[in-house]
């Protein structure tokens, strides 16, 4: 791997130099083991510790298939799907690998007794399989996490609707938290060259998800002047949603849990902030069995106070069970609730009268299609949207990085250095970086 790293850090290495590099028989990776899926039995989700289940060791390099690429991973990042994989909730991901493995001889490669995790990367293409024409060894890239087959008709208007749609590194093997990753070549996109490796790796999953959920016609179809309620507005998803709202002429109403996070939202340009801790909203009783509509009403009144009497046009939902009833209530007549996750619980409850009698819509949104991913990355590359990276760990510390996300002890995104020996490497467009330095570093040191 040292020769690969030397070539990446050289300013003179050519595509031919990269193509001639000998690939290792094995590589360092973060993975969970099939034999350990019951290791947390009897514990609550909060008690489960990713540091005990995530292993960092060498694993064999898989066979490269048609339309695929090996990428030397300089940096990756932590997403909630890595946390879910590491605590084996809501189900073990080995079921995903087993089902995928039954499709063909090529997909059988993914069905292994270990699962290499990670759905983000920034790095350099090492080798491409038969049929790949757009990318070549030496190309500096990031990857989105949509893996599809597109053999049937369903996904050809929207690749997210392909019957074989999966999330790479979660529902497939050979993910990005490793020194080498295997991806489908159509997952690759150009690396934004004003960013470091760790900064470029961090937007991926959450940036594309936020773009589809809020901006795309497949999601909220946000327009200028919309009032957008954003839960967790300084978090991994919410930090991008806040930027998209501001960049698109909408008015974000940012819900945060403390003053520190409120300060981050303000630094992005948001003016309407609701600090849940200070205002003490209690949407559920102590037992978590019943919601309090009076608290929905109090929350709605606070929103109207901030907006000058207007209700919410689009709710950017991802906490799920804890907030969903309130989200449905506060949305304006004819408005939209978009949902992409359920970090506080999957079994949502809401009063349907407020939905059907007021012609509101709930739109499900899951990651992004190829075009949406490309557009989201293009906005990063143009400096219109910025990374939300707050802290970076080494690959050997991936368990602690995942624990931070599991315990919500982080802001924005948590990065992971893989092959990159230190932070701050990989920038080529220094002039553009200087223009956006403050925004790029907004989430650091908080």
């Amino acid at each position: 791997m040292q020769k690969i790293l030397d070539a990446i850090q050289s300013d003179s290495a050519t595509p031919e130099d990269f193509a001639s590099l000998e690939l290792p028989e094995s590589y360092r990776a973060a993975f969970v083991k099939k034999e350990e899926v019951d290791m947390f039995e009897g514990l609550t989700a909060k008690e489960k510790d990713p540091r005990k289940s995530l292993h960092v060791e060498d694993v064999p390099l898989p066979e490269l298939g048609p339309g695929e690429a090996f990428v030397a991973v300089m940096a990756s990042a932590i997403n909630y799907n890595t946390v879910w994989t590491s605590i084996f909730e809501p189900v073990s991901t080995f079921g995903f690998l087993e089902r995928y493995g039954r499709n063909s001889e090529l997909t059988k490669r993914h069905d292994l007794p270990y699962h290499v995790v990670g759905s983000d990367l920034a790095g350099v293409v090492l080798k491409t399989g038969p049929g790949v024409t757009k990318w070549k060894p030496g190309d500096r890239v990031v990857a989105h996490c949509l893996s599809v087959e597109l053999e049937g008709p369903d996904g050809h208007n929207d690749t997210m609707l392909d019957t074989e749609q999966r999330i790479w590194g979660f529902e497939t093997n050979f993910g990005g938290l490793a020194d080498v990753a295997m991806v489908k070549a159509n997952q690759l996109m150009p690396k934004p060259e004003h960013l470091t490796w760790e900064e470029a790796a961090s937007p991926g999953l959450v940036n594309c998800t936020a773009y589809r959920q809020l901006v795309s016609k497949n999601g909220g179809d946000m327009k200028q002047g919309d009032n957008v309620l954003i839960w967790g507005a300084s978090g991994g998803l919410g930090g991008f949603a806040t930027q998209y709202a501001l960049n698109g002429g909408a008015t974000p109403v940012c819900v945060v849990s403390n003053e520190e996070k409120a300060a981050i939202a303000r630094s992005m340009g948001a003016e309407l902030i609701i600090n849940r801790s200070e205002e003490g909203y209690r949407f559920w009783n102590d037992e978590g069995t019943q919601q309090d509509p009076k608290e929905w009403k109090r929350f709605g009144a606070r929103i109207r106070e901030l907006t000058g009497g207007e209700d919410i046009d689009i709710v950017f939902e991802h906490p799920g069970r804890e907030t969903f009833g309130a989200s449905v209530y506060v949305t304006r007549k004819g408005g939209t609730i978009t949902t992409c996750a359920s970090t506080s619980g999957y079994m949502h409850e809401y009063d349907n009268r407020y939905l059907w009698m007021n012609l509101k819509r709930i739109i499900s949104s899951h990651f992004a299609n190829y075009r949406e991913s490309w557009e989201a990355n293009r906005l990063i590359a143009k400096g219109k949207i910025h990374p939300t990276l707050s802290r970076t760990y080494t690959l050997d510390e991936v368990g602690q990085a995942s624990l931070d996300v599991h315990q919500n002890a982080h802001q924005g995104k948590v990065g992971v250095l893989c092959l990159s020996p230190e932070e701050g490497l990989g920038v080529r467009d220094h002039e553009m970086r200087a223009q956006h330095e403050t925004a790029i570093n907004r989430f650091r040191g908080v």
Side-chain angles (χ1 to χ4, degrees), residues 216-260:
S216 168
K217 292 183 183 299
N218 292 312
D221 195 15
M222 184 189 72
K223 66 182 187 301
Q224 292 187 12
D226 279 347
N227 292 316
V228 181
L229 180 67
I230 302 172
W231 294 100
S234 69
L237 273 171
F240 284 104
T242 300
Q243 292 185 69
Y244 279 120
L246 292 165
N247 191 48
T251 301
V253 179
C254 297
V255 184
V256 297
S257 59
N258 58 49
E259 182 53 38
E260 188 177 53

Side-chain angles (χ1 to χ4, degrees), residues 4 10 28 32 38 103 121 126 128-129 135 143 175 227 261 267 312 324 332 386 394 402 422 446:
I4 292 173
S10 168
R28 190 177 56 140
V32 293
D38 297 323
N103 283 3
L121 71 73
L126 293 176
T128 59
W135 304 100
N227 292 316
K261 294 181 178 182
S267 74
I312 293 298
F324 206 81
R332 71 163 176 83
H386 305 288
T394 67
S402 299
E422 59 183 299
V446 293

Side-chain angles (χ1 to χ4, degrees), residues 91 139 173 211 233 236 274 277 326 345 358 391 411 425:
V91 295
D139 286 343
N173 218 323
Y211 181 92
I274 296 176
S277 298
N358 291 289
R391 184 174 181 181
Q411 306 277 15
L425 305 178

Side-chain angles (χ1 to χ4, degrees), residues 167-240:
I167 298 299
W168 160 71
F170 178 58
E171 295 166 299
T172 77
N173 218 323
F174 316 120
L177 285 163
D179 288 345
V180 179
M182 188 174 76
V183 299
K184 292 180 183 294
N186 50 23
Q187 292 177 237
L188 299 176
M189 304 181 292
K191 174 190 175 292
E193 292 294 22
H194 67 295
L195 300 179
T196 65
W197 294 114
E198 61 274 13
E199 291 163 355
S202 67
L205 185 150
V206 287
N207 179 40
C208 299
T209 298
Y211 181 92
R212 179 180 175 107
Q213 184 179 353
L214 187 57
V215 179
S216 168
K217 292 183 183 299
N218 292 312
D221 195 15
M222 184 189 72
K223 66 182 187 301
Q224 292 187 12
D226 279 347
N227 292 316
V228 181
L229 180 67
I230 302 172
W231 294 100
S234 69
L237 273 171
F240 284 104

Side-chain angles (χ1 to χ4, degrees), residues 120-192:
D120 287 323
L121 71 73
V124 177
V125 175
L126 293 176
K127 185 179 179 180
T128 59
V132 177
T133 59
K134 184 175 178 61
W135 304 100
K136 61 183 182 301
D139 286 343
R140 292 156 62 94
V141 295
V142 294
H144 66 73
C145 62
L146 176 59
S147 173
V148 295
E149 308 302 321
L150 294 179
E151 291 186 314
D154 297 35
H156 283 268
N157 282 337
D158 178 3
T159 45
M160 281 301 300
L161 298 182
D162 184 52
T163 54
E164 295 294 327
Q165 177 268 320
R166 292 175 176 83
I167 298 299
W168 160 71
F170 178 58
E171 295 166 299
T172 77
N173 218 323
F174 316 120
L177 285 163
D179 288 345
V180 179
M182 188 174 76
V183 299
K184 292 180 183 294
N186 50 23
Q187 292 177 237
L188 299 176
M189 304 181 292
K191 174 190 175 292

Side-chain angles (χ1 to χ4, degrees), residues 340-398:
C340 74
S342 296
T343 53
S344 68
Y346 299 95
M347 299 300 290
H348 298 187
E349 293 183 22
Y350 61 91
D351 189 328
N352 200 38
R353 293 172 296 176
Y354 296 114
L355 187 78
W356 103 68
M357 295 182 72
N358 291 289
L359 304 174
K360 303 176 186 182
R361 298 179 300 159
I362 296 173
I363 295 180
S364 58
S365 187
H366 180 44
F367 189 59
N369 64 32
Y370 282 175
R371 185 65 191 180
E372 291 158 346
S373 298
W374 191 276
E375 291 294 338
N377 185 63
R378 174 176 173 267
L379 290 168
I380 295 282
K382 291 177 73 68
K384 303 292 186 182
I385 301 294
H386 305 288
T388 61
L389 185 68
S390 62
R391 184 174 181 181
T392 303
Y393 288 89
T394 67
L395 185 58
D396 288 332
E397 299 169 319
V398 69

